[in-house]
Amino acid sequence: IEAVTGVQTCALPISTTLSYPTPSGPLTLRLVGHNPLWGHHLWNGARIVSTYLETTPSLVAGKTVLELGAGAGLPSLVAGRLGAKRVVVTDYPDNSLIENLRWNIEHCEGAGEVVAEGYLWGADSAALVAHLPAESGGKFDLLILADLLFNHSEHAKLVASVVEMMKPGGKALVFFTPYRPWLFEADMAFFEGARGAGLRVEKVLEEKMERVMFEEDRGDEEVRKTVFGYVLSWPEEGEAEAKAE
């Protein structure tokens, strides 16, 4: 698509729309055109965490859900279809990203109670928790973080957001691919930060995709095809006391 003003021609980013298969039927998903915030990709972590939700629907049915750094919002739309009580899907407060999320919600048949908001990790969460039912106590049952760990400088803010908005008994799904294998340890440092904040960390999944996302990238292809899935939760009361001792 090109926009022409006088003699100056400017190429505009072209969005793409795809039909994504799910057990409950195909889901129409639009990706923004090229975006410096990487929202124009459908990331491996989003695909696999969506499948994980579909195979364990009790995680979201009747629950409140928050997705951080959602891109196109696939996991949130799947959660809505699976009967979540309320889903708040977020990304950086960039107009193109948030409007695209709202387009995907509007065009998702059976999406249910899903709303989109802009959100900076670690910032004031008032606009997000305002969507929650009063009985939720301003916290979510489930948080979703799909392919966010490559943002190493943002780990502390991501952990802070989880700590602030995950309710007691809640869970956070953290799924990611080491797209830069030589920085795998830096990716994994997120979980040390989570443990340091008092969260329990459990690995629940390791799955290989058929092919790498970025074929021209360097590094071990087997690692770049692998999605790792972890669950963050609050320790049980007895467990927390034992650690304190």
Side-chain angles (χ1 to χ4, degrees):
I1 301 172
E2 291 189 343
V4 181
T5 305
V7 295
Q8 193 172 34
T9 302
C10 176
L12 298 177
I14 301 173
S15 62
T16 57
T17 303
L18 56 90
S19 179
Y20 190 85
T22 74
S24 57
L27 188 153
T28 299
L29 202 65
R30 190 176 73 177
L31 306 176
V32 296
H34 182 78
N35 187 284
L37 300 169
W38 301 97
H40 53 294
H41 293 293
L42 181 55
W43 295 87
N44 289 342
R47 295 174 186 267
I48 300 302
V49 79
S50 297
T51 301
Y52 188 78
L53 294 178
E54 290 163 350
T55 56
T56 52
S58 59
L59 282 172
V60 291
K63 305 291 180 62
T64 55
V65 179
L66 171 67
E67 184 176 3
L68 302 177
L74 175 62
S76 289
L77 298 174
V78 168
R81 278 189 165 184
L82 291 171
K85 181 185 294 185
R86 169 68 74 175
V87 181
V88 181
V89 54
T90 71
D91 208 323
Y92 187 86
D94 170 83
N95 284 341
S96 63
L97 290 175
I98 304 308
E99 288 307 312
N100 190 69
L101 278 170
R102 290 173 177 154
W103 189 96
N104 283 337
I105 294 168
E106 291 170 6
H107 290 80
C108 179
E109 185 177 350
E113 298 295 320
V114 184
V115 295
E117 293 285 355
Y119 176 63
L120 291 171
W121 302 331
D124 183 7
S125 61
L128 310 186
V129 301
H131 293 289
L132 289 171
E135 66 272 16
S136 295
K139 295 181 184 294
F140 293 84
D141 295 302
L142 183 73
L143 279 72
I144 300 171
L145 293 73
D147 268 333
L148 305 183
L149 300 195
F150 68 88
N151 293 285
H152 301 146
S153 65
E154 301 299 302
H155 283 183
K157 294 176 183 177
L158 284 168
V159 170
S161 294
V162 172
V163 168
E164 178 190 358
M165 290 185 281
M166 185 173 73
K167 67 169 50 175
K171 297 178 185 295
L173 303 181
V174 184
F175 282 46
F176 76 103
T177 291
Y179 296 103
R180 300 168 295 178
W182 61 95
L183 294 176
F184 183 50
E185 289 187 8
D187 294 341
M188 291 297 292
F190 169 85
F191 299 106
E192 290 306 310
R195 291 186 182 97
L199 295 168
R200 181 169 56 188
V201 178
E202 178 188 5
K203 184 178 179 181
V204 295
L205 178 142
E206 182 173 329
E207 183 172 331
K208 284 192 178 178
M209 309 296 285
E210 290 185 7
R211 58 180 62 88
V212 296
M213 267 192 74
F214 305 106
E215 294 185 358
E216 296 181 0
D217 282 3
R218 61 190 176 94
D220 188 323
E221 284 199 5
E222 294 305 306
V223 176
R224 291 192 289 124
K225 288 194 292 189
T226 305
V227 179
F228 297 91
Y230 287 80
V231 174
L232 307 183
S233 60
W234 294 111
E236 301 291 337
E237 187 173 340
E239 184 182 348
E241 290 174 357
K243 285 185 177 180
E245 294 173 1

